[in-house]
Amino acid sequence: LDMADLTPKDYLVDLGSGDGRTVITAAKRGVRAHGIEYNADMVALSKRAAQAEGVSRRATFAQGDIFESDFSDATVVTLYLLPDLNARLRPILLAMKPGTRVLSNSFEMGEWPADDSVHITENCPGYCIAYKWVVPARVEGTWSTGNGRLELKQNFQMLEGVLHEGGSARPIGDARLDGTRIRFNIGEDRYTGEVDGGEMRGTVNGSRPWQATRQAG
């Protein structure tokens, strides 16, 4: 929850919520949280625990299949599932709103590299690594910059591309997304900005403004 930078404005969904401890802990921080768990007995246990902790209004639970449940409005998703389940969930998570934070106990997301990880080394007998991903905006394609065009290829949060401008073609470097935030270099210039659907806006070297519009097709 600390890695997620959780605030009371968030809505957390825990997939495979077990005994409810993650949901209840989030609720005790003032966050609206919901757990989805296949085992009906664990759901009942979780509800009793939330009632005992006085957070049953913020901590809710439902029995269900995580692959048939709609959690698209979550801003934070937590999970403690085996790698094959993470792999099945990956397309669903990547289709969520850019900027959604995904936190996993111990198990990664296959080819989708984590944005951050923490390894607990004290008082942890096992399963001591937490991983964090931020759902990236979808930017692959061609963007008009006014004076040229920016062609981007995307592999999860990592980017490659070329800026075509004034008869030249310059590759971008050190390029990646952090949710809706984009950054890349062109030569000695550092571009940073924000992606908003079909628009990107930001600054070059922290001062000169730049923008780009997605081209149709």
Side-chain angles (χ1 to χ4, degrees):
L1 301 184
D2 290 341
M3 286 182 72
D5 297 319
L6 198 68
T7 77
K9 294 181 180 180
D10 283 309
Y11 172 45
L12 179 145
V13 173
D14 189 32
L15 303 179
S17 53
D19 63 7
R21 66 183 64 192
T22 299
V23 171
I24 291 170
T25 303
K28 290 169 74 173
R29 296 188 180 195
V31 175
R32 186 167 63 98
H34 181 67
I36 302 171
E37 169 58 46
Y38 192 77
N39 186 317
D41 291 337
M42 296 300 283
V43 173
L45 175 66
S46 299
K47 290 180 177 179
R48 291 195 298 271
Q51 184 72 36
E53 293 285 351
V55 293
S56 56
R57 293 184 64 180
R58 287 193 300 272
T60 59
F61 300 90
Q63 189 279 328
D65 185 330
I66 58 176
F67 295 101
E68 297 178 359
S69 302
D70 181 7
F71 50 90
S72 58
D73 53 348
T75 59
V76 175
V77 176
T78 55
L79 40 89
Y80 186 12
L81 303 171
L82 292 173
D84 60 328
L85 295 179
N86 283 1
R88 288 179 60 194
L89 277 170
R90 192 174 70 195
I92 299 171
L93 296 170
L94 284 165
M96 296 182 72
K97 183 178 178 180
T100 301
R101 291 98 76 198
V102 179
L103 288 299
S104 172
N105 183 340
S106 301
F107 300 108
E108 299 182 73
M109 287 282 172
E111 297 175 349
W112 184 11
D115 290 296
D116 192 13
S117 64
V118 172
H119 188 182
I120 303 300
T121 57
E122 296 183 6
N123 301 317
C124 184
Y127 303 101
C128 303
I129 301 178
Y131 297 97
K132 176 183 178 180
W133 298 262
V134 181
V135 175
R138 290 165 284 282
V139 300
E140 180 158 328
T142 302
W143 298 75
S144 173
T145 63
N147 297 322
R149 71 182 190 277
L150 177 64
E151 295 181 347
L152 295 176
K153 293 183 178 180
Q154 181 172 358
N155 185 29
F156 303 108
Q157 68 269 54
M158 310 307 294
L159 300 173
E160 296 179 349
V162 178
L163 176 64
H164 298 269
E165 194 173 63
S168 67
R170 295 185 291 165
I172 67 173
D174 192 21
R176 65 177 295 149
L177 290 155
D178 180 11
T180 58
R181 295 188 292 274
I182 187 171
R183 66 180 190 266
F184 56 90
N185 294 338
I186 299 179
E188 297 182 355
D189 291 327
R190 183 62 165 170
Y191 287 69
T192 57
E194 192 80 15
V195 181
D196 183 9
E199 301 286 335
M200 290 192 285
R201 293 184 177 86
T203 59
V204 183
N205 299 327
S207 58
R208 177 163 54 92
W210 72 277
Q211 65 181 49
T213 303
R214 188 190 295 274
Q215 293 185 359

